[in-house]
Amino acid sequence: MSNSRDPHALARLVREGRRYWASPAGQALWRAERACLGPVCEELVGQHSLELGMAPVLSDICPIRHALGWAPNHEMADHVSTLVCLPDALPLPDDSLSLVLIHHLLEVIAEPHRTLQEAARVTADNGRLIIFGWCPLSAGGMSRVWPGRRRRMPWRGHWRTPGRLGDWLAFVDFEIERVDYCGFHLPGSLPRNTMLETLGRRHNLPLGDSYMIHARPRAQLAQSQRSRFELSRPLAGPALGSATRTGPQTQRNRKID
C-alpha cells in the first residue's frame, strides 16, 4: 500500500490508478458503476459535493450545483474545482457537503480510517456518503490468488466486505442505507455483458466486481446544538488547497481502531 501521508507516494499511487481506469477493463467497470450510481443521484439535492478517487468523475451526473474533485498535487488537478490535499486532511468546514463519494480509495491508502473520518466530518446531517469498494467474492476478487497480482492495480491493497465497512461507519456515527453490487461478468471477461449486469443488479447478488455503499449520518438527539457551516459560494482556484478547516470537532472524529 502507499503511505497516504507521503505526497510523492500518494501521487504515484494515483497515477497507477488512473492508468487502470483508462484501460478497457477499467472503463467497462466505470460504466457499470456509473449506471449503478444513476438512480441514487436522482434522489440527491444540495449545494456542494466531493469525490475522492482515481477514476474519471462519476458524481457529475448528480444534480448538485458545485462538484469538487480531488488530486494529491497541483499537476494532477484536472479543473479549477479540484481540492489539492491529503485525503485524510480535507480543508473544508464540518457538515458542509451534501454528497461525499469515495471511489476505490480505502483499499489502497495506508490509513483509510482517517480518510473515512474526514469524509464523515464534512458530510452534512442531511447529506449522503457513498463508498465504492472491491467485492472479495467476485471473479476479480478470486483472481487475486494468482502470483504477483496483489502488487498491481486493481488487485492490490486490502479488500473489505461491506459488513466490515459498516463497522467502521458506525464509529463515525453513520449507518448503511443500502448496498448495491455492479460489474457482473464471467471469469476472464470484462463487465460489459448487459444480460449478466441486468440480472445481477435486479437480484443484487454479491458477486459483482464492486459494491456501492449508500450511507447517511445517524439521527442526532442534539442536532440543534451542533454548529453548522455553509459554503456561501463555490470555492475557486486551481488548487483549493488554500482553503482552511474551520469549526469544532464533532463526535464523528473519534478514532477507529
Side-chain angles (χ1 to χ4, degrees), residues 66-110:
H66 180 225
L68 292 169
W70 170 79
N73 57 40
H74 294 266
E75 291 73 23
M76 301 180 75
D78 294 329
H79 50 80
V80 295
S81 294
T82 299
L83 200 66
V84 175
C85 62
L86 295 173
D88 57 10
L90 303 176
L92 295 171
D94 293 358
D95 311 323
S96 56
L97 302 178
S98 302
L99 168 67
V100 178
L101 190 152
I102 305 176
H103 186 262
H104 296 290
L105 195 62
L106 299 180
E107 293 92 341
V108 293
I109 54 178

Side-chain angles (χ1 to χ4, degrees), residues 38 43 84 127 214:
E43 303 174 359
V84 175
H214 189 199

Side-chain angles (χ1 to χ4, degrees), residues 180-256:
D180 291 293
Y181 297 89
C182 55
F184 297 91
H185 62 96
L186 297 175
S189 64
L190 298 181
R192 56 175 55 152
N193 187 306
T194 303
M195 183 178 69
L196 283 179
E197 191 71 19
T198 300
L199 289 174
R201 289 183 56 195
R202 178 181 299 166
H203 300 287
N204 207 22
L205 301 174
L207 300 175
D209 272 357
S210 68
Y211 55 78
M212 180 183 69
I213 292 177
H214 189 199
R216 65 178 180 182
R218 291 183 184 274
Q220 299 292 322
L221 296 178
Q223 283 186 0
S224 61
Q225 298 178 7
R226 297 183 61 190
S227 299
R228 300 187 60 84
F229 295 85
E230 294 291 341
L231 298 177
S232 58
R233 55 184 176 182
L235 298 173
L240 296 179
S242 58
T244 58
R245 297 172 60 194
T246 60
Q249 299 298 303
T250 69
Q251 186 182 5
R252 297 182 192 168
N253 292 4
R254 295 180 296 177
K255 179 178 176 57
I256 302 176

Side-chain angles (χ1 to χ4, degrees), residues 118-161:
E118 277 292 271
R121 179 185 66 80
V122 300
T123 302
D125 284 335
N126 61 349
R128 292 296 181 269
L129 174 59
I130 293 177
I131 302 171
F132 279 93
W134 297 108
C135 184
L137 298 178
S138 66
M142 298 302 182
S143 68
R144 297 178 76 213
V145 299
W146 294 357
R149 277 211 164 179
R150 295 196 182 206
R151 294 192 295 269
R152 295 183 287 121
M153 288 287 188
W155 302 282
R156 66 184 298 177
H158 293 293
W159 290 20
R160 301 173 180 90
T161 64

Side-chain angles (χ1 to χ4, degrees), residues 14-37:
V14 173
R15 289 191 187 96
E16 183 182 353
R18 288 185 176 184
R19 284 194 295 270
Y20 165 73
W21 289 105
S23 70
Q27 283 290 295
L29 180 59
W30 182 87
R31 287 190 289 269
E33 292 179 335
R34 190 175 175 89
C36 193
L37 179 64

